[in-house]
Amino acid sequence: MNNAARRREDVRRRDDLNGLDYVEIDQHNSTRLYVYLLGKLTAELADALQPANFRIEGGARIRSIRVTNVHSVQQNDPERDDILVVDVNRRGDFSPFHLSVVETDQDGWPTGKPHPAFDQRFASIPLNFRADCPADLDCKTEPDCPPEVFEEPEIDYLAKDYASFRRLILDRLAVIMPEWTERHVPDLGITLVELLAYVGDHLSYYQDAVATEAYLDTARQRQSVRRHVRLVDYRLHEGCNARAWVVVEVSDDIELDAQRDYFITGFENDSPPTVDSRGFLPEMLRDKGGFLVYEPLVAQQAIHLWQAHNEIMFYTWGEREVCLPRGTTHATLRDEYVEDAEPDATQPE
C-alpha cells in the first residue's frame, strides 16, 4: 500500500476529519454533481457546509462556475460513505477543473484555505464535466515525476543454447566492461559466464519442453499424453514391455522352464554365456553389461523344443512355384509320415 492509499484509509477511520474521494456527474442533469466523501458526515459538519464553502477552478472557455446549492445524503449502510449533492450554475467545457472545500471568513466569503474539517490532501479533487462525451483525444496526463528510463541492452532472443548464451554474455560484457579482455578458460570471469550460459541453456530447454508437452500433437512423454486424454474421459493403457520373435535351433529335443530360463542377446564373440543351475547370470557377465535379457511370454511353465522343428517346409501340393499372399494366416506344412504301430497280439482286444 502506497502513502496516498494509507493516508486515505487513515482519514476514513477518523471521526474529526473527512475528505473528497471522487465526483460523478448526473446523467440527466449535467449541472448536478455527486461528491463522494471519505467516511461519514457528522451532523454539525452537514449543517455547516454552505455553497460558499465550495470553489470550482479551471476551465478554458467556460469559467466562473459557482455552486448554488449543497445538501448531504446519509448512507444507512455503515460500509458505504456519505455523499454531497452539489448543484452548479452552468456546465463546464472539456478543460480540467478542480473542486475544493474551503474555509469562509467572518462575512461568509470563501478563502483560499482548506476547510478545517477536511484533510488538506483530500480537500481538492479533479473534476471533468465532459467525461461522458466521446472524444478522439488522448486524455492521459503525463506524470509530474516520471520514472527514470534506463538504457536497455540489445538482447538476441534467438539465443537458445549454451554456445549462443555464452556468446551473448561475452558481447554484453565487452560493451559495459571494455577493459576486461580475459578469455582463458581458468579465469574466474569466464567460469561465471559459462555457468550462467549453462543455467540459461537448462532454462531454455525447460521452456521448450513445457511448451512441447502442453499440446497433444507435440507431447513426447507418455505421462503428458495420459494427462491430455484424461481431459476427454479417456484412460490411456499403461502399455507393455518390448517384445520380439526369437528363432531357436536346438541339437536335441529339450524342455525349457518359462519361469527360470530366459534369452540373452548382444555378445561380442557370439558365444552364449554359461548359466548356473539357479538361472542367474554370473557376476562377471553382469558387471560387463552390454546385453539384453528377454523372458518367454507364455502361459505354461514348460516350453518344448524339438530338433525336427528347426526347419519346417511348406507342402506345395505339387506346385513348382508357390507364394503366400500378403495377409495369409495359415498354410499346409510338410512333415514325415509315420505309420501306426501294429497291435500287440498278446494284448486282449
Side-chain angles (χ1 to χ4, degrees):
M1 182 181 295
N2 54 22
N3 295 332
R6 188 181 299 109
R7 183 166 181 172
R8 182 189 301 271
E9 294 300 326
D10 294 342
V11 172
R12 181 175 279 112
R13 287 193 297 265
R14 294 183 59 174
D15 297 334
D16 57 339
L17 281 180
N18 212 309
L20 305 180
D21 193 5
Y22 61 95
V23 180
E24 290 184 354
I25 308 296
D26 195 322
Q27 297 181 357
H28 305 287
N29 185 5
S30 58
T31 60
R32 172 161 293 182
L33 312 179
Y34 297 99
V35 182
Y36 289 81
L37 305 177
L38 295 175
K40 298 292 185 179
L41 275 176
T42 61
E44 295 79 9
L45 181 59
D47 296 336
L49 289 177
Q50 300 296 325
N53 295 114
F54 293 89
R55 185 173 63 181
I56 298 179
E57 299 174 335
R61 295 185 299 105
I62 302 177
R63 306 176 66 90
S64 301
I65 300 178
R66 295 181 294 101
V67 177
T68 59
N69 187 24
V70 177
H71 67 275
S72 61
V73 177
Q74 305 289 332
Q75 300 287 346
N76 297 326
D77 189 355
E79 299 295 331
R80 300 182 63 182
D81 300 329
D82 291 343
I83 304 174
L84 289 176
V85 181
V86 179
D87 294 330
V88 296
N89 61 341
R90 59 192 303 188
R91 185 183 184 184
D93 54 16
F94 289 94
S95 303
F97 292 84
H98 272 81
L99 174 65
S100 303
V101 183
V102 296
E103 185 182 4
T104 56
D105 56 11
Q106 298 179 356
D107 298 332
W109 293 97
T111 63
K113 299 180 181 180
H115 196 283
F118 284 79
D119 184 77
Q120 295 184 5
R121 172 66 177 78
F122 301 104
S124 179
I125 190 171
L127 174 62
N128 187 0
F129 285 94
R130 307 285 179 166
D132 55 342
C133 297
D136 298 333
L137 300 178
D138 187 5
C139 60
K140 182 180 179 180
T141 58
E142 295 295 335
D144 297 333
C145 299
E148 184 179 357
V149 179
F150 298 95
E151 182 181 358
E152 297 183 358
E154 296 182 0
I155 300 178
D156 184 10
Y157 293 96
L158 299 180
K160 299 293 290 182
D161 56 355
Y162 171 82
S164 57
F165 281 125
R166 185 178 184 274
R167 176 186 54 80
L168 187 64
I169 297 175
L170 291 177
D171 293 344
R172 181 58 183 172
L173 291 177
V175 175
I176 62 177
M177 300 174 58
E179 66 279 0
W180 182 66
T181 59
E182 186 64 51
R183 292 298 182 268
H184 291 87
V185 176
D187 183 70
L188 180 60
I190 296 297
T191 303
L192 295 177
V193 169
E194 293 180 350
L195 179 62
L196 294 176
Y198 166 77
V199 174
D201 178 67
H202 181 74
L203 294 177
S204 177
Y205 172 79
Y206 181 76
Q207 291 177 349
D208 294 341
V210 170
T212 301
E213 301 300 327
Y215 301 95
L216 182 60
D217 295 339
T218 58
R220 295 177 296 181
Q221 298 184 5
R222 188 177 183 85
Q223 59 180 355
S224 301
V225 177
R226 185 188 300 112
R227 293 169 182 172
H228 284 302
V229 298
R230 190 183 301 172
L231 298 176
V232 293
D233 295 337
Y234 180 82
R235 185 171 295 276
L236 184 66
H237 192 268
E238 294 298 333
C240 58
N241 296 333
R243 303 183 182 184
W245 291 99
V246 179
V247 179
V248 182
E249 294 184 3
V250 295
S251 58
D252 196 2
D253 299 342
I254 61 175
E255 181 178 313
L256 301 180
D257 189 353
Q259 297 183 354
R260 187 182 65 88
D261 299 327
Y262 43 83
F263 301 94
I264 305 174
T265 62
F267 295 97
E268 297 179 358
N269 53 3
D270 295 334
S271 60
T274 57
V275 181
D276 57 8
S277 59
R278 294 175 298 173
F280 297 106
L281 292 175
E283 294 294 337
M284 180 181 66
L285 184 61
R286 189 185 302 115
D287 297 338
K288 180 180 180 182
F291 57 87
L292 298 177
V293 179
Y294 290 90
E295 297 181 355
L297 186 63
V298 293
Q300 65 272 16
Q301 295 184 358
I303 302 176
H304 299 279
L305 300 178
W306 310 96
Q307 181 184 4
H309 292 170
N310 288 344
E311 183 179 3
I312 302 177
M313 306 297 294
F314 286 101
Y315 185 73
T316 61
W317 299 93
E319 298 291 340
R320 293 182 178 273
E321 297 181 358
V322 180
C323 67
L324 293 178
R326 187 186 299 273
T328 302
T329 57
H330 63 279
T332 304
L333 304 180
R334 181 178 179 180
D335 202 354
E336 296 182 359
Y337 176 74
V338 180
E339 296 181 356
D340 295 338
E342 297 181 358
D344 192 356
T346 60
Q347 298 293 335
E349 295 181 0

